[in-house]
Amino acid sequence: MGRYRNPILPGCHPDPSICRVGDEYFLVTSTFEYLPGLPVHRSTNLVDWEPIGHAIERSDQLDLSGLRSSCGLFAPTIRHHDGTFFVVCTVVAGAAGDAEEWGGRTGHFVVTATDPRGPWSDPIWLAGEGEIDPSLAFDDGRVWLCGTRLAQPGLWHHQTEVWLRELDPETFAVIGDEHVLWHGAVEGAVWAEGPHLYRHPEGGWMLLASEGGTFGEHAISVAYADEITGPYRGDRGNPRLTHRDLGARTDIWAVGHADLVDAADGRTWAVLLATGLRPDGGDSLLGRQTHLVPVDWEGGSPLFAPGVGRVQGEVDAEGVPDQVVGPDSFDDDFDGSLGLAWTGVRRMPHTFADTAVRPGFVRLRGGGEPTGLEDQSFLGRRLPAERVEARAVLELSGAGRGGILLRVGDERHLEVSVDDTGLARAVLVTGDGRAVFGEAAVDAGAPVEIALRIDGADAEAVVSGASLGTADLRGLSPVAAASFLGAWIGPFAAGEGHVDVDGLELRVLS
């Protein structure tokens, strides 16, 4: 019997997918517009995880430049078969018509590797315009791809259908007929998404999918068939797991998008996403995160969190050890190459961030505005907790500005910065527009210390030890922004000059 805490990964890690190879587990999650994309985590016990790489690790694999926030890399699935790891995913440009306006490559693709640390292959494109959430199943030498899309015509707004296609095991070309497997468990429910197919322990096949959308109405349901191609019949106890009946009166919300894995001891587990709610009912800045629940079987049906039927913040369970307490600081002195946690917006960090030019610093070449789709120079990492202090010392050179950015999206962020004239400013950008909530003058030619103290729905901006004021962060709500991502935090540079950052301290506050 061991004890662990949910979520099992710090910060925004939505749409988790998992597989086991021997005594090791491997997990991938969505990253949307951030690169490198699709982080790969490894564990030997399901409760303690380490990042080991990214499935999208090179600039020449994908081009996401110009995409809007919350577009890009949607809902990957990781599987292992015959010595090879497969990650299948979708590039999404947004609503109907956005892909043509954007002009980039969209649809499903698969990348492969013999070592989950990489290198990962170039994408093999599988088409799939207007479809999302692909998953692979391997069975007796055959390869199957399933996913979800809007039903045409639908019987109600955002009715979806889960489809299945067989792929050539060598070329991944579609072969044979398409099969529509399911329209969801509840009439009127939207977005039956995140489908996965498994061999049922009692024979036949089980389809797992989540419906209701990825926020408060999310719910996990299952269906069964004798053959992988169907027909599928829904479980009479659907949904098998949800918190939608709790409304906003819970601290764990929006439960769904699950994937199953069997441990070596025969136990079954599910990784899934859920969102935290603050005591006032507002959603957490951390966004959708990865949680873990045990799964048992009764009467042929999966019991998620058996005996409880809820995703809990603290879990006692057989089959896992006591979880190692996570770190309370995520500091980086930039003495060497950038760590795996750092990402860029729509481009790889190495295209604008350099740790070699000045040891102990990272130099950020100036980029586009944080509100724009041009090449931004934001070196960000996931906000790890609700209460955090970020601190960095910056030196500016040339025209422009630099500072710390707390980013949910292009149009939802908080900036604390100083420009080349010595003007320090704290700015909050939300759906209500742009608001400056603090200004001060500093020495334009000297290093400047910038700090951002986040306490749930509030933040204080501090420059050179002096407070610029506080901001209400509720306008950055991922739900209010219809954002699939929570907050990222880190240094940025905008304009024609560059910014040298003398380390970043990121501490979780008690």
Side-chain angles (χ1 to χ4, degrees):
M1 178 73 72
R3 175 171 293 183
Y4 67 91
R5 290 195 60 81
N6 276 314
I8 54 174
L9 299 178
C12 178
H13 286 278
D15 309 326
S17 177
I18 191 170
C19 71
R20 178 177 66 87
V21 182
D23 294 328
E24 297 179 305
Y25 301 89
F26 300 94
L27 180 75
V28 296
T29 54
S30 296
T31 46
F32 299 90
E33 71 264 32
Y34 287 103
L35 293 172
L38 311 183
V40 182
H41 285 78
R42 171 192 171 274
S43 176
T44 58
N45 60 18
L46 288 167
V47 296
D48 301 309
W49 293 87
E50 62 169 338
I52 60 172
H54 292 82
I56 301 301
E57 58 187 355
R58 303 184 306 277
S59 296
D60 60 0
Q61 284 177 290
L62 286 176
D63 183 3
L64 302 183
S65 57
L67 272 177
R68 294 185 293 105
S69 299
S70 287
C71 293
L73 294 167
F74 273 52
T77 297
I78 186 169
R79 295 293 183 257
H80 182 266
H81 176 70
D82 198 22
T84 299
F85 289 89
F86 299 80
V87 170
V88 61
C89 189
T90 313
V91 176
V92 177
D98 289 344
E100 183 176 345
E101 180 181 345
W102 175 52
R105 185 75 182 263
T106 61
H108 308 310
F109 68 88
V110 63
V111 290
T112 64
T114 55
D115 185 337
R117 294 168 176 80
W120 288 83
S121 72
D122 290 336
I124 302 169
W125 289 93
L126 310 175
E129 296 293 336
E131 301 169 348
I132 59 171
D133 296 11
S135 181
L136 291 174
F138 296 87
D139 182 57
D140 294 333
R142 304 174 77 177
V143 184
W144 300 89
L145 174 72
C146 73
T148 192
R149 68 187 174 210
L150 289 171
Q152 298 292 342
L155 298 178
W156 56 83
H157 183 61
H158 282 173
Q159 182 194 14
T160 49
E161 58 190 18
V162 176
W163 49 262
L164 178 73
R165 302 171 188 143
E166 187 174 2
L167 303 180
D168 183 284
E170 298 296 329
T171 66
F172 286 90
V174 175
I175 57 177
D177 297 329
E178 179 182 272
H179 307 270
V180 175
L181 305 186
W182 211 36
H183 290 91
V186 177
E187 184 175 347
V190 301
W191 292 110
E193 61 191 38
H196 298 297
L197 289 164
Y198 315 90
R199 277 288 190 181
H200 192 282
E202 296 181 4
W205 288 85
M206 184 176 79
L207 168 67
L208 180 150
S210 296
E211 64 186 26
T214 194
F215 296 116
E217 302 300 317
H218 222 15
I220 297 168
S221 295
V222 297
Y224 313 101
D226 296 329
E227 303 293 335
I228 193 170
T229 54
Y232 282 81
R233 55 197 179 274
D235 190 296
R236 289 179 294 179
N238 279 331
R240 302 303 308 184
L241 180 66
T242 185
H243 283 201
R244 65 188 180 194
D245 53 314
L246 300 177
R249 305 178 186 188
T250 177
D251 56 355
I252 297 178
W253 186 71
V255 169
H257 205 110
D259 196 9
L260 302 180
V261 67
D262 290 330
D265 63 6
R267 292 183 172 89
T268 302
W269 296 82
V271 291
L272 50 88
L273 67 78
T275 298
L277 288 183
R278 301 190 310 271
D280 63 2
D283 60 303
S284 167
L285 278 179
L286 304 182
R288 303 178 302 157
Q289 299 180 272
T290 293
H291 295 64
L292 176 75
V293 298
V295 178
D296 210 341
W297 299 86
E298 187 173 284
S301 296
L303 299 178
F304 293 81
V308 179
R310 300 294 187 193
V311 180
Q312 299 174 299
E314 191 167 282
V315 181
D316 293 313
E318 298 282 356
V320 294
D322 287 338
Q323 187 181 45
V324 175
V325 177
D328 60 5
S329 65
F330 300 82
D331 301 346
D332 197 327
D333 60 8
F334 301 123
D335 189 14
S337 60
L338 290 173
L340 292 174
W342 294 110
T343 62
V345 177
R346 297 179 284 265
R347 60 175 176 160
M348 297 288 182
H350 70 80
T351 63
F352 62 87
D354 189 345
T355 58
V357 66
R358 188 178 177 187
F361 292 76
V362 62
R363 175 164 293 178
L364 306 181
R365 293 191 296 276
E369 286 295 319
T371 51
L373 297 179
E374 298 80 13
D375 289 341
Q376 296 183 21
S377 294
F378 169 52
L379 186 63
R381 59 185 300 156
R382 293 160 181 83
L383 188 71
E386 291 273 7
R387 302 186 68 248
V388 168
E389 180 178 75
R391 185 180 301 271
V393 175
L394 295 83
E395 299 178 28
L396 277 69
S397 178
R401 70 185 193 282
I404 291 177
L405 195 68
L406 176 69
R407 182 184 188 273
V408 173
D410 297 325
E411 298 177 356
R412 305 264 177 169
H413 56 259
L414 187 154
E415 171 189 324
V416 187
S417 63
V418 60
D419 66 19
D420 53 298
T421 70
L423 177 63
R425 179 173 286 174
V427 181
L428 183 66
V429 177
T430 68
D432 295 327
R434 181 177 184 272
V436 177
F437 65 92
E439 289 183 342
V442 299
D443 186 346
V448 179
E449 183 183 72
I450 292 180
L452 183 61
R453 297 169 183 160
I454 301 165
D455 186 1
D458 300 298
E460 181 185 16
V462 179
V463 175
S464 298
S467 176
L468 296 189
T470 60
D472 183 342
L473 300 181
R474 287 177 294 180
L476 300 186
S477 156
V479 172
S483 172
F484 294 133
L485 287 165
W488 261 242
I489 193 168
F492 81 99
E496 298 179 358
H498 67 256
V499 176
D500 287 345
V501 184
D502 185 8
L504 182 86
E505 297 179 4
L506 185 58
R507 300 188 180 279
V508 176
L509 304 175
S510 59

